[in-house]
Amino acid sequence: VQLQASGGGLVQTGGSLRLSCAASGFTFDDYAIGWFRQAPGKEREGVSCISRNDGSPYYADSVKGRFTISSDNAKNTLYLQMNSLKPEDTAVYYCAAERPPITIATMKHGIGMDYWGKGTLVTVSS
């Protein structure tokens, strides 16, 4: 299983970025897959996740209405469209995958996600 995140960069407050996560080595739409982030000095947090538990993606309260998760199963690629970015969104963003079902704790903190890609840094300047 391989996951490779890309698309990070430096953006001003209010700007947008789209992250991509290219997946290989597993049947993409059989796995729960999501985005997590970790800012310096802070714990890792779940940003958004396609759990495969039901039809609704998970979003952290802090990103609801601003971020949108999507996937292209034909390309085995997960995306995170990030709009209205804030300085507090600054973090290293990771994509991760796990066989479903996954728990709320997993979606919120990444606990139990077995497969992780290298992160991509997002920096939002004020």
Side-chain angles (χ1 to χ4, degrees):
V1 173
Q2 288 190 328
L3 299 164
Q4 180 63 57
S6 62
L10 175 64
V11 64
Q12 291 186 333
T13 296
S16 298
L17 282 174
R18 189 176 81 154
L19 305 184
S20 298
C21 174
S24 62
F26 63 102
T27 304
F28 185 75
D29 53 358
D30 283 348
Y31 276 66
I33 189 164
W35 291 97
F36 300 81
R37 68 186 181 186
Q38 188 162 21
K42 294 189 176 181
E43 293 186 354
R44 183 178 63 203
E45 65 170 338
V47 176
S48 184
C49 186
I50 299 174
S51 68
R52 314 294 185 191
N53 293 348
D54 57 32
S56 303
Y58 163 82
Y59 290 98
D61 287 343
S62 59
V63 307
K64 282 181 182 176
R66 301 188 297 122
F67 290 10
T68 303
I69 193 170
S70 63
S71 65
D72 185 334
N73 291 346
K75 294 183 178 180
N76 280 8
T77 302
L78 181 73
Y79 302 100
L80 185 70
Q81 178 66 44
M82 305 187 295
N83 298 329
S84 302
L85 283 160
K86 304 175 181 180
E88 51 263 44
D89 295 317
T90 295
V92 178
Y93 285 70
Y94 302 88
C95 56
E98 178 56 74
R99 288 186 178 276
I102 60 173
T103 66
I104 292 293
T106 298
M107 287 184 272
K108 287 187 174 182
H109 303 292
I111 300 169
M113 296 292 275
D114 277 352
Y115 305 109
W116 292 84
K118 292 183 180 180
T120 186
L121 176 63
V122 172
T123 304
V124 185
S125 63
S126 56

